[in-house]
């Protein structure tokens, strides 16, 4: 094989039972969490010559196992959380509020974090997203503008390896093309294109953190079609890539060491140590000059709340009372059906066409078929429309869940597979103070710590926006004479696995947890990376913004070293 | 029209289940070599039983089933020994059951009797559970394993209208193509 590496070609690391998990003597920076946020920061700071330790709660998965994980993922007998070993006492949680929150379907603990499982759609937020409160009177403004993040978006696209095109007229201004050309449209995209053209809906490519060609020593996509939950070829970006780069630059990355709490100095102005547990039952303290918490949008606030002290009885960095609050998500809205021709789904596991036409302007219809929203219901959040390449049951799934066999099975699978279409959407959720992550003191995890409790409800504006997305989806499918067979609306909706808002960024220390650099208002050496700092989340998948912010925060941390 | 299962299908199916070619970014379908000696944890009898099962489970016009199954099973045994052990246990149960009802091992029955035996034990209604009851394990290790091997391969996919099914690294051309006929 050439110099293109697949996950299993990568260097074998020390077996997990022989890993040295004692603390480093003189760390400049301690990063908590080895998902993309932590990995990018660790890599940048280690490459700049600083002594970096990364503490990761989950295991280092063996890349050799990826194909076996795909095998399991193809079988209905294995639940999605099983593929990356989520669940059990370690990951216990409580869901309250009128919506069940499926937390362990929505995250992964391990080197690489949730990107091990993710889909890999990566788009920039729109300029509008940074000032929703000023423009629309809901949520909160970001303390930074799109222009502040713009160069970091470009750097993030290079880092993750994004295949994209400049064909999106709704996209905010960009300076350089994506590092790779976009994936070509699918056959079913061409079916949707006809309808969208008739209706006056502009469609365009999807930026994918997935190799359209060999990139950064990783293989090009070879079409396994199982991107979510696992890409065996390594074509889909995941943060093990930057963990390896960080290690190559001298960082220490220790797996299976969940941080239990953070300690602070007598003045209460600086974090002094991260206290972590090891698999053999020991507890250690990692001291460092700077601490970056990058534990995801649920565990980051939980860790701050667990770090309560006499001086900070409500949790660390929580003088605002905002830690854990304003939890928000992206909601899924979808409409699916069948048409009387083949739609060629499930050849690949990612999408190649979207429309951001209803993003900044969700209420406005088109002249030729999509009605405008009713005047009394035109206060709406952003909508991102997605045209699926994996609508309906996959043939493997249909064959394995049917029960039968032989010729009869073949006929049923051929009938089931073949002419499905789905228009999906991500919908913006209005952040609300009552939606929050707290500690459930009645239940403890494998280390005796209170588990996170997620209180999650959906407000009327968000419901309306889901209905509006459904209305647009119906118009598209109606133009194709599709028979609509299912719909996910405000009642059936679920989260997109994007945990935002729980340590939000702002200029006012009384209302926000971190400042515009992502440093906590309360502690001078404590930084937060991840979507928990988003004051609002638009309707774009968050990870490109997480990466851009992480690269920007790395520069600020470096200035203090 | 018959659908012949080829070496390419076996390799494709193996790559879907993590055997032999694990990790190779783009297993070349026409690649030669690799006679798949296999691990000895599956006996000739186990292998013959799986082929006999595949004759029932696969549509009638699929040909070259035996060599496909043998290649597939050998790769499986080499790369996922614990899975092979599950297969061997399930085969043992299958034979015990058939001995009790038909006084013969499963593989010695006619195709119709094999089908009947599987239905008699309600394998068509059982969930597929790796650590479940005898029939649930049979469903997981034998029936669904063989169905996965078929429907994650190009020939199996084509039987239902997809030449690059999930689990098969069939490249980036097929999703862009329209229907062939
Ligand atoms: C099914 C699915 C599909 C997705 N699809 C997309 C997509 O298409 N596009 C997109 O932009 N995003 C997507 N996402 C979301 C994306 O995965 C996350 O936004 C991203 O991974 C967040 O990065 P992070 O580094 O902030 O957190 P994570 O990736 O979650 O990593 C946090 C890490 O911190 C560790 N940790 C937690 N607590 C502790 C502790 N106390 N001590 C030490 N370590 C700790 C965790 O184990 C974890 O490894 C998807 C997510 C899922 C689950
Ligand atoms: S289709 Fe998805 S899983 Fe398959 S190689 Fe491409 S990125 Fe990986």
């Amino acid at each position: 094989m050439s110099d293109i590496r697949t996950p299993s070609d990568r260097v074998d690391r020390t077996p997990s039972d022989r890993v040295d998990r004692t603390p480093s003597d003189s760390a400049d920076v301690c990063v908590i969490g080895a998902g993309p946020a932590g990995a990018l920061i660790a890599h940048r700071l280690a490459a700049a010559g600083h002594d970096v330790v990364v503490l990761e709660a989950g295991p280092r998965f063996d890349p050799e196992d990826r194909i076996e994980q795909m095998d399991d993922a193809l079988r209905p007998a294995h639940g999605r959380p099983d593929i990356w070993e989520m669940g059990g006492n370690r990951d216990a949680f409580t869901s309250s509020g009128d919506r069940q929150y499926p937390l362990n379907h929505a995250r992964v603990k391990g080197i690489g974090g949730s990107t091990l499982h993710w889909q890999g759609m990566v788009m920039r937020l729109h300029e509008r997203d940074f000032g929703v409160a000023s423009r629309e009177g809901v949520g909160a403004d970001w303390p930074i503008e799109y222009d502040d993040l713009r160069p970091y978006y470009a750097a993030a696209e290079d880092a993750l390896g994004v295949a994209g095109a400049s064909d999106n007229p709704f996209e905010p201004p960009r300076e350089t093309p994506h590092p790779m050309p976009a994936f070509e449209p699918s056959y079913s995209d061409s079916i949707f294109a006809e309808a969208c053209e008739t209706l006056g809906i502009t469609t365009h490519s999807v930026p994918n953190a997935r190799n359209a060609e060999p990139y950064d020593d990783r293989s090009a996509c070879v079409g396994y079609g199982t991107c979510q939950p696992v890409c065996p070829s390594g074509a889909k970006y995941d943060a093990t890539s930057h963990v390896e780069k960080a290690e190559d630059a001298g960082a220490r990355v220790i797996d299976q060491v969940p941080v239990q709490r953070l300690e602070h100095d007598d003045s209460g102005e600086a974090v002094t140590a991260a206290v972590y547990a090891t698999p053999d039952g020991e507890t250690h303290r990692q001291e460092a000059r700077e601490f970056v918490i990058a534990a995801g949008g649920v565990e980051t606030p939980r860790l701050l709340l667990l770090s309560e002290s006499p001086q900070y009885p409500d949790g660390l960095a929580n003088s605002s009372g905002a830690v854990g609050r304003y939890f928000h998500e992206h909601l899924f809205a979808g409409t699916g059906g069948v048409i009387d021709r083949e739609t060629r789904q499930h050849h690949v596991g990612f999408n190649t066409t979207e429309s951001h036409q209803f993003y900044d302007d969700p209420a406005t219809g088109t002249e030729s078929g999509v009605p405008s929203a009713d005047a009394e219901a035109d206060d709406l959040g952003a909508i991102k429309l997605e045209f699926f390449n994996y609508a309906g049951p996959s043939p493997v799934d249909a064959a394995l869940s049917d029960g039968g066999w032989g010729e009869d099975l073949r006929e049923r699978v051929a009938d089931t597979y073949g002419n499905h279409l789905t228009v999906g959407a991500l919908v913006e959720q209005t952040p609300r103070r009552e939606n929050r992550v707290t500690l459930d003191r009645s239940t403890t995890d494998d280390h005796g710590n209170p588990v996170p409790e997620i209180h999650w409800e959906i407000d009327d504006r968000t419901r309306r926006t889901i209905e509006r997305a459904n209305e647009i989806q119906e118009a598209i499918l109606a133009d194709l004479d599709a028979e609509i067979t299912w719909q996910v609306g405000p009642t059936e909706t679920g989260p997109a696995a994007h945990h935002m808002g729980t340590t939000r960024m702002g200029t006012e220390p009384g209302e926000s947890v971190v400042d515009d650099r992502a440093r906590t208002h309360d502690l001078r050496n404590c930084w937060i990376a991840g979507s928990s700092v988003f004051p609002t989340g638009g309707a774009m998948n968050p990870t490109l913004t997480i990466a851009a912010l992480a690269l920007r925060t790395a520069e600020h941390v470096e200035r203090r070293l | 029209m018959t659908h012949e299962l080829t070496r390419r299908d076996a390799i494709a199916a193996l790559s879907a289940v993590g055997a032999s070619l694990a990790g190779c970014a783009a297993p070349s379908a026409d690649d030669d070599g690799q006679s798949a000696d296999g691990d000895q944890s599956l006996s000739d009898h186990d292998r013959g039983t799986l082929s006999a099962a595949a004759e029932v489970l696969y549509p009638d016009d699929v040909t070259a089933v035996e060599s496909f199954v043998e290649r597939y099973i050998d790769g499986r045994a080499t790369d996922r020994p614990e899975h092979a052990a599950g297969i061997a246990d399930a085969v043992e149960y299958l034979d015990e059951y058939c001995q009790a009802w038909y006084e013969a091992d499963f593989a010695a029955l006619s195709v119709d009797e094999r089908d009947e035996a599987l239905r008699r034990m309600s394998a068509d209604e059982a969930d597929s559970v790796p650590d479940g009851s005898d029939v649930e394990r049979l469903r997981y290790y034998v029936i669904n394993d063989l169905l996965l091997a078929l429907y994650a391969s190009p020939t199996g996919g084509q039987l239902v209208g997809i030449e690059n099914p999930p689990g098969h690294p069939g490249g980036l051309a097929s999703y862009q193509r329209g229907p062939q006929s």
Side-chain angles (χ1 to χ4, degrees), chain B residues 58-139:
Chain B
Y58 290 0
D60 306 336
D61 54 357
V62 175
T63 59
V65 170
E66 191 175 333
S67 56
F68 171 78
V69 171
E70 295 234 330
R71 277 209 188 95
Y72 172 73
I73 291 306
D74 285 337
R76 252 302 194 212
T78 311
D79 281 22
R80 244 182 144 167
E82 81 296 348
H83 192 92
I87 294 176
D89 282 351
V91 166
E92 202 177 311
Y93 169 72
L94 190 57
D95 282 339
E96 272 170 27
Y97 185 91
C98 293
Q99 284 291 351
W101 281 91
Y102 302 91
E103 293 174 3
D105 282 348
F106 178 77
L109 304 179
S110 72
V111 171
D112 284 348
E113 284 170 331
R114 285 177 229 156
D115 182 75
E116 184 191 279
L118 292 174
R119 288 180 202 280
R120 188 191 287 270
M121 68 174 73
S122 301
D124 52 343
E125 279 156 26
D127 286 335
S128 155
V129 188
D131 53 1
S133 67
D134 289 332
V135 183
E136 288 171 338
R137 280 184 287 121
L138 178 77
R139 179 87 222 178

Side-chain angles (χ1 to χ4, degrees), chain A residues 292-450:
Chain A
V292 179
I293 312 175
V298 171
E299 295 297 337
T300 289
R302 177 182 179 221
L303 180 58
L304 292 172
L305 296 174
L306 287 173
S307 303
E308 63 197 6
S309 67
Q311 199 165 348
Y312 291 115
D314 298 327
L316 207 60
N318 194 20
S319 60
S320 62
V323 168
R325 290 196 180 270
Y326 303 103
F327 175 72
H328 60 286
E329 257 283 0
H330 295 132
L331 280 314
F332 179 74
T335 308
V338 288
I339 57 171
D340 62 2
R341 41 183 167 146
E342 285 182 48
T343 55
R344 311 262 308 151
Q345 300 295 285
H346 290 287
H347 290 249
V348 289
F350 57 91
N351 295 332
T352 39
T353 292
E354 286 191 340
S355 176
H356 299 177
Q357 178 157 335
F358 302 95
Y359 194 91
D360 289 23
D361 218 355
T364 306
T366 64
E367 281 176 12
S368 43
V370 179
S372 290
D374 292 342
E376 66 276 14
D378 66 354
D379 173 26
L380 300 167
I383 296 171
K384 183 190 74 152
L385 281 186
E386 302 172 340
F387 299 91
F388 278 30
N389 286 335
Y390 37 84
S394 91
V396 178
D397 196 36
L400 298 192
S401 23
D402 176 277
W405 49 73
E407 191 54 37
D408 293 349
L409 174 66
R410 179 253 284 266
E411 277 169 23
R412 282 195 297 274
V413 175
D415 277 353
T416 315
Y417 169 77
N419 44 7
H420 289 264
L421 285 176
T422 293
V423 194
L426 287 193
V427 162
E428 177 170 24
Q429 181 176 18
T430 323
R432 290 169 68 233
R433 200 173 154 76
E434 309 78 63
N435 283 334
R436 61 190 296 207
V437 176
T438 52
L439 299 178
D440 174 2
R441 294 185 193 273
S442 69
T443 316
T444 50
D445 69 6
D446 56 345
H447 289 92
N449 293 314

Side-chain angles (χ1 to χ4, degrees), chain A residues 422-500:
Chain A
T422 293
V423 194
L426 287 193
V427 162
E428 177 170 24
Q429 181 176 18
T430 323
R432 290 169 68 233
R433 200 173 154 76
E434 309 78 63
N435 283 334
R436 61 190 296 207
V437 176
T438 52
L439 299 178
D440 174 2
R441 294 185 193 273
S442 69
T443 316
T444 50
D445 69 6
D446 56 345
H447 289 92
N449 293 314
V451 303
E453 173 168 338
I454 299 175
H455 182 92
W456 188 54
E457 295 184 356
I458 298 173
D459 63 296
D460 288 343
R461 185 182 202 246
T462 306
R463 275 176 213 278
R464 263 199 314 276
T465 312
I466 295 172
E467 280 165 4
R468 173 69 177 155
N470 287 157
E471 183 179 34
I472 300 165
Q473 292 164 341
E474 284 167 16
I476 296 168
L477 290 172
D479 189 78
L480 290 168
D481 291 328
E483 179 197 341
I484 292 179
T485 51
W486 61 269
Q487 186 161 70
V488 168
T491 310
E492 306 81 11
T493 188
H498 307 153
H499 311 147
M500 301 175 287

Side-chain angles (χ1 to χ4, degrees), chain A residues 4 183 210-215 218-223 233-235, chain B residues 25 172:
Chain A
I4 304 301
F183 286 91
R210 174 180 280 101
N211 288 355
E213 55 194 36
Y215 186 84
R218 289 181 291 116
S219 156
C221 171
V222 294
S233 78
Chain B
L172 289 174

